[in-house]
Amino acid sequence: MFTDSQLTRAVALRHDLHQHPELKFEEHRTSALLAERLETLGYSVRRGIAGTGVVAELDTRKPGPVLAFRADMDALPIVEANQSAYCSVHEGRMHACGHDGHTAALMLAAEAIMERRETLCGHLKLLFQPAEEGGNGAEKMVQAGVLDSPRVDAIFGYHNRPGFEAGLVFVKPGSAMGGNDTYRVIVHGRSGHAAMPHLAVDPIYVGASIVQQVQGMVGRHKSPLRAGVITVAAFHAGDAANVIPGSAELLINIRSDSPEARDALVGGLEVLVSGVCSAHGATYEMEHQHHVPPLVNDAEWSERVLEIARKHEVSPRIEQIDYMPTMGAEDFSFYLQQVPGCFFFVGNGEQGAYLHNEHYDFNDAILPVAAGTFVALAEALMGTS
């Protein structure tokens, strides 16, 4: 499917991107490099979408479907501990999630797809998205209209998965990755002397009660057939041993596998906080800081992706799984809320560091598998033969 020179260019691009990581909404070098290459290939390119995003389009001028393929471009604020020749040259920034590989794979696919343009019909959009890591870049790309003019019929993307056999292509129909909601809660009590707690309203005690009670939401408010977890990731209050402070601050993170689980956990959080505070004479402030919906794959498109991947033999191993591989969030879910599609996975290898780790590295050997899946989807869904 790919020539040796194409694979060599893809690996070189991946290493270049890894060496020059850029954080969310700062992907200026990355997007400029990609835009230039895509224009050279013959795509119609729009820059500066949602800040630093790039959209490349192939209009065959023949009736057919409108498809979108997506890759994320941003890195993480992590100090790299690897010693490879292409390590990050920017201290404190690292491609620790494989977005360099996702981008290189879609660029490899872009090259092969353009070579096949005479055999295709319809319209293809390649979305190179900024700020997947906590910036909701996908949501901003949707708001910028990337799914419109013309309206996308189906969208596809992928993520590498450490801990799975290298090159394994797998799909989870339905709920495939977790939703992520983060809340900042400030409990306002009344400060006082540690020896006279009855004259104060202790926000630490109230906050501790909230920490305990939120776990009951997981066990008793959410269906046991759905997955979800609540983590109190920070609790700050007080600085003197003999003083009851006036306030306490909590950061609460909620993960959910589906809209139903999210409704049960997110929907009940403020009711619980309000009730606990009221019972102890405290007040509260609550700020919803971050939201990514659960990623839910369309069942029919999941089946089609597997069928097409097998027919085009993109990998020796292609599987459907019936369990969520992670509760980690992925903002590709914003696209799937608007149009049907499928987010598939490619194993990165059973050994090596996991995502968001200082020792993580993308496996170059899976580039042709990921890119090959995109090309197979284009050929199968847009092919004229």
Side-chain angles (χ1 to χ4, degrees), residues 197-213:
H198 61 294
L199 301 178
V201 175
D202 187 351
I204 294 179
Y205 178 79
V206 177
S209 297
I210 292 172
V211 173
Q212 294 293 321
Q213 292 296 317

Side-chain angles (χ1 to χ4, degrees), residues 24-299:
K24 60 185 177 184
F25 297 121
E26 298 176 3
E27 307 94 336
H28 300 290
R29 179 186 182 275
T30 301
S31 61
L33 175 63
L34 299 178
E36 289 174 9
R37 293 197 179 193
L38 290 160
E39 287 171 343
T40 300
L41 288 173
Y43 287 90
S44 173
V45 176
R46 289 183 288 148
R47 310 181 187 212
I49 310 299
T52 49
V54 175
V55 176
E57 300 187 55
L58 172 60
D59 183 359
T60 68
R61 303 191 184 282
K62 292 176 283 188
V66 181
L67 303 183
F69 299 158
R70 174 271 209 167
D72 38 15
M73 303 184 296
D74 56 322
L76 285 157
I78 294 175
V79 177
E80 183 165 12
N82 295 318
Q83 301 297 320
S84 65
Y86 52 86
C87 279
S88 171
V89 298
H90 300 303
E91 183 71 17
R93 285 182 270 166
M94 176 190 174
H95 270 295
C97 200
H99 295 186
D100 50 345
H102 301 166
T103 297
L106 188 53
M107 282 296 298
L108 175 59
E111 192 170 342
I113 290 169
M114 185 56 75
E115 290 181 344
R116 294 159 170 78
R117 62 188 179 278
E118 297 301 327
T119 67
L120 303 178
C121 61
H123 197 108
L124 176 65
K125 299 184 183 185
L126 306 180
L127 313 181
F128 292 89
Q129 177 204 306
E132 190 279 328
E133 298 290 357
N136 285 20
E139 181 181 29
K140 293 174 175 59
M141 292 281 278
V142 170
Q143 292 169 349
V146 299
L147 300 179
D148 299 313
S149 302
R151 183 66 175 177
V152 169
D153 296 314
I155 187 167
F156 306 92
Y158 91 100
H159 207 294
N160 76 93
R161 298 304 312 173
F164 290 83
E165 178 185 343
L168 167 67
V169 176
F170 60 102
V171 173
K172 166 65 171 67
S175 297
M177 293 187 72
N180 177 10
D181 288 274
T182 300
Y183 286 86
R184 176 174 175 256
V185 176
I186 301 177
V187 176
H188 295 288
R190 185 169 62 249
S191 63
H193 198 293
M196 292 173 280
H198 61 294
L199 301 178
V201 175
D202 187 351
I204 294 179
Y205 178 79
V206 177
S209 297
I210 292 172
V211 173
Q212 294 293 321
Q213 292 296 317
V214 293
Q215 300 307 320
M217 294 172 57
V218 177
R220 287 296 177 266
H221 291 195
K222 175 192 62 60
S223 166
L225 302 179
R226 290 294 185 181
V229 62
I230 298 181
T231 298
V232 180
F235 191 142
H236 302 291
D239 53 14
N242 62 347
V243 177
I244 294 172
S247 65
E249 180 177 330
L250 296 81
L251 281 179
I252 300 176
N253 185 257
I254 298 176
R255 302 288 171 143
S256 50
D257 75 339
S258 61
E260 295 81 5
R262 181 179 184 273
D263 288 346
L265 299 180
V266 170
L269 180 62
E270 186 161 12
V271 174
L272 184 148
V273 171
S274 175
V276 171
C277 287
S278 177
H280 297 287
T283 60
Y284 70 94
E285 296 175 59
M286 194 165 175
E287 177 190 0
H288 194 182
Q289 291 190 323
H290 186 61
H291 166 60
V292 177
L295 189 150
V296 182
N297 276 328
D298 181 87

Side-chain angles (χ1 to χ4, degrees), residues 320-369:
Q320 176 178 313
I321 62 172
D322 59 3
Y323 60 92
M324 286 182 64
T326 176
M327 191 61 81
E330 164 58 63
D331 73 0
F332 191 84
S333 55
F334 284 107
Y335 300 117
L336 292 176
Q337 285 189 326
Q338 302 296 318
V339 297
C342 178
F343 193 72
F344 60 94
F345 303 95
V346 180
N348 198 59
E350 296 172 286
Q351 307 300 319
Y354 194 68
L355 306 172
H356 293 215
N357 184 285
E358 62 186 0
H359 291 286
Y360 167 84
D361 195 12
F362 183 89
N363 186 348
D364 292 329
I366 73 171
L367 283 171
V369 176

